[in-house]
Amino acid sequence: MRRKLAAGNWKMHGLAADLAEAEAVARDHPRPGCDVLICPPATLVARAVDRLSGGPVAVGGQDCHKTEKGAHTGDVSAAMLADAGATHVIVGHSERRADHGETDADVAAKATAAHAAGLIAIICLGETEAQRDAGETLAVVAAQLAGSLPEGATAANTVIAYEPVWAIGTGRTPTLEQIAEVHTALRERLRALLPSEADGVRLLYGGSVKPGNAAEIFAVADVDGALVGGASLKAADFGAIIAALDGAPAA
Ligand code: 13P
């Protein structure tokens, strides 16, 4: 059985005062039936860990470099995130793929670095609107999965997040049938790529998840939780999404 995961990606939002929202999530959901994760900006990871340690909310990074250390001004390594107390790191978010030209091979290397540091890698993939309109969605996500999944990926160290690029921050979401189609296809591809692990790997949906649509999305087969952007910034919204996930059918 896959334990569900509600993960918040704060992106480039959040100053120290905003950690009160993360603390409120922990206070309001002391014993969630799912895993809860907040990925604040790198500047807040250590402070978030200090404020949340011992509670139900884990802390993750939003990206890591593929090497452990070196002359890479401005970058953060997986080892540094782990040292700060993070347990997870997002890799291959479409904003990084677009803004920084990250390829599937880069993402796989980052996931390998995450695993070497003892972090759970949340590997993101998803099609653009043009790719969906061209009928390429399943081929695109299958290729991204095959190219971004590193050697040594297991159900314990890897989470996959399906985030259609056109649904991120837009208020638009795929239909439930479209989400089901992609998640079912990803599960099938995982069975081919990682036969002994595939059924344990959690598949998150991301892209305009809100309190108002979370329950119906979480009822879709093979949706094991969400990667939430904007709605993870406020405790009331993220808390409502956690509650919806707690009430969702078991995987
Ligand atoms: P929104 O929930 O703001 O659409 O962002 C989704 C996302 O990109 C999470 O990584």
Side-chain angles (χ1 to χ4, degrees):
M1 189 145 104
R2 297 183 294 272
R3 187 165 164 85
K4 302 204 180 255
L5 171 61
N9 173 11
W10 281 12
K11 308 192 180 185
M12 202 170 75
H13 299 284
L15 301 174
D18 297 300
L19 291 175
E21 296 293 327
E23 287 177 313
V25 169
R27 201 171 49 243
D28 295 346
H29 300 273
R31 276 175 295 282
C34 58
D35 290 340
V36 179
L37 171 71
I38 288 179
C39 300
T43 48
L44 290 181
V45 166
R47 270 180 286 184
V49 169
D50 282 347
R51 306 256 294 257
L52 298 169
S53 72
V57 179
V59 178
Q62 298 178 9
D63 174 55
C64 65
H65 198 271
K66 58 189 171 193
T67 60
E68 194 185 332
K69 58 186 168 190
H72 303 290
T73 302
D75 278 313
V76 173
S77 75
M80 291 168 184
L81 291 170
D83 184 53
T87 50
H88 298 62
V89 63
I90 298 166
V91 292
H93 192 282
S94 62
E95 288 153 11
R96 301 238 17 125
R97 291 177 186 259
D99 293 355
H100 301 273
E102 292 184 6
T103 64
D104 289 338
D106 293 328
V107 177
K110 287 173 181 236
T112 296
H115 294 162
L119 299 178
I120 296 172
I122 301 177
I123 299 174
C124 302
L125 40 82
E127 82 284 3
T128 64
E129 185 157 34
Q131 289 166 332
R132 177 162 283 278
D133 289 346
E136 296 168 1
T137 298
L138 295 185
V140 166
V141 298
Q144 288 176 328
L145 182 68
S148 306
L149 204 60
E151 290 279 323
T154 67
N157 68 19
T158 301
V159 174
I160 306 296
Y162 168 55
E163 299 203 304
V165 176
W166 54 272
I168 293 175
T170 60
R172 297 166 59 206
T173 52
T175 65
L176 300 179
E177 291 72 22
Q178 288 170 328
I179 295 173
E181 180 186 38
V182 174
H183 280 238
T184 301
L186 287 172
R187 183 75 63 202
E188 277 170 17
R189 294 306 306 150
L190 279 170
R191 287 194 182 115
L193 294 163
L194 297 176
S196 62
E197 301 292 325
D199 285 338
V201 174
R202 289 172 293 179
L203 297 179
L204 309 184
Y205 168 77
S208 296
V209 176
K210 307 277 182 243
N213 62 18
E216 61 181 19
I217 291 172
F218 295 150
V220 174
D222 274 308
V223 173
D224 303 313
L227 183 54
V228 184
S232 71
L233 294 168
K234 290 286 167 227
D237 289 344
F238 196 44
I241 291 167
I242 293 165
L245 190 55
D246 271 348

